[in-house]
Amino acid sequence: MWELVKAGGWLMTPIVLCSILALVIIIERSHTLQFNKIVPNRLREQLITRLRENGDIGRTQLMNVKEKSPLGDILATGLLYRQYGLESMTMHMQNRASVQVHQLEKNINMLGTIGAIAPLLGLLGTVLGIISSFLAITDGAMQDPTMLAAGVSQALITTAAGMIVAIPALVAYRYFQRRIIDINAQFETQAGLMIQELYDYKLLEHSYGLNTPVKNRVVDDRVEDERSINGLGLDKVATATS
């Protein structure tokens, strides 16, 4: 192996470095982008069940959920801000989803860059090898074929090495891109289902905070109704007087 690297010339050094970097990124992203770690099974159902049973989830418990998984971060953020209404809850979940997707895309572009430049490095090595072969011919290499073979071998080795590095890098790049798209779709699906379930089970606060007692809410509703009735009566009296 070392003899092949040595025969490929100095351009084999950046190609080998690209291969090492690509391998590290592939291993790291394969470990990070495990679907079960990012989107745990039945997490949304567990949160909704706890809300239905207890009426609320403590801030400490939600912070623990946020730290365990990216999906937990999104859903727990929504529950932390649900007391401020649907719009605030939705915007905060969207912000956290954008942050999580950005984290998942870490080093993915580097992998695509390696897949793009590795063949170019191999092509550059090919050109330099052919140039050295022609220079050897002008120096009388026709009488010594070994001088001609050195340039040809450099051209073939660098080309093959560049493609060997680029093909797995591009395959992994496309695979990870698709995986992130699927994960983002799951983020949107789970967040939408949680909002729908909060509506269905009447767990989503609209005009009152979570700490407002139900009795006070009824009293406030009655006051608003009386004001509306009185306002209608005054309007009618004013109309009749005029």
Side-chain angles (χ1 to χ4, degrees):
M1 180 63 69
W2 172 248
E3 294 297 329
L4 290 176
V5 174
K6 187 177 179 181
W10 63 272
L11 274 174
M12 287 297 293
T13 300
I15 293 176
V16 171
L17 292 177
C18 287
S19 67
I20 296 173
L21 183 58
L23 181 61
V24 171
I25 294 174
I26 291 172
I27 294 174
E28 188 270 334
R29 288 292 93 184
S30 298
H31 177 74
T32 302
L33 296 179
Q34 293 183 19
F35 208 81
N36 292 334
K37 290 184 178 180
I38 298 173
V39 185
N41 293 327
R42 301 186 60 80
L43 177 60
R44 188 195 77 257
E45 291 87 342
Q46 293 173 2
L47 292 174
I48 295 297
T49 301
R50 191 175 301 176
L51 273 175
R52 294 182 64 187
E53 293 176 351
N54 303 328
D56 193 11
I57 301 177
R59 184 179 182 84
T60 303
Q61 294 177 335
L62 289 177
M63 295 304 294
N64 290 333
V65 174
K66 280 173 62 67
E67 296 174 356
K68 288 183 178 179
S69 65
L71 179 62
D73 182 17
I74 297 169
L75 299 182
T77 299
L79 294 178
L80 284 171
Y81 288 93
R82 73 188 177 101
Q83 57 181 318
Y84 301 110
L86 177 61
E87 292 184 2
S88 177
M89 176 181 174
T90 303
M91 286 190 296
H92 280 90
M93 285 197 296
Q94 288 176 347
N95 291 336
R96 293 311 304 169
S98 298
V99 172
Q100 291 298 335
V101 171
H102 180 71
Q103 291 293 327
L104 296 177
E105 291 176 343
K106 181 181 179 182
N107 295 328
I108 297 297
N109 288 333
M110 178 63 70
L111 196 60
T113 302
I114 292 174
I117 66 173
L120 296 178
L121 291 173
L123 180 61
L124 179 59
T126 301
V127 173
L128 294 178
I130 293 174
I131 291 174
S132 64
S133 298
F134 279 107
L135 291 176
I137 292 175
T138 60
D139 292 337
M142 297 303 295
Q143 298 177 357
D144 188 3
T146 57
M147 296 177 63
L148 180 62
V152 175
S153 63
Q154 177 182 349
L156 296 177
I157 291 172
T158 53
T159 302
M163 291 184 177
I164 289 173
V165 174
I167 292 173
L170 286 176
V171 171
Y173 173 69
R174 297 298 183 185
Y175 172 78
F176 290 142
Q177 273 192 328
R178 185 62 198 179
R179 174 60 65 91
I180 292 173
I181 291 173
D182 293 339
I183 291 172
N184 190 29
Q186 276 296 312
F187 286 164
E188 295 178 358
T189 301
Q190 294 296 319
L193 288 174
M194 188 181 74
I195 293 174
Q196 185 62 48
E197 289 173 347
L198 290 175
Y199 266 118
D200 294 340
Y201 298 121
K202 303 184 185 331
L203 298 171
L204 184 63
E205 297 296 327
H206 297 281
S207 58
Y208 298 99
L210 291 175
N211 297 324
T212 304
V214 177
K215 185 184 294 185
N216 292 346
R217 300 178 189 181
V218 175
V219 172
D220 291 342
D221 291 337
R222 290 177 180 174
V223 171
E224 292 295 332
D225 292 339
E226 290 177 0
R227 289 177 180 175
S228 299
I229 293 171
N230 292 335
L232 291 172
L234 291 174
D235 293 340
K236 290 178 181 179
V237 172
T239 303
T241 303
S242 61

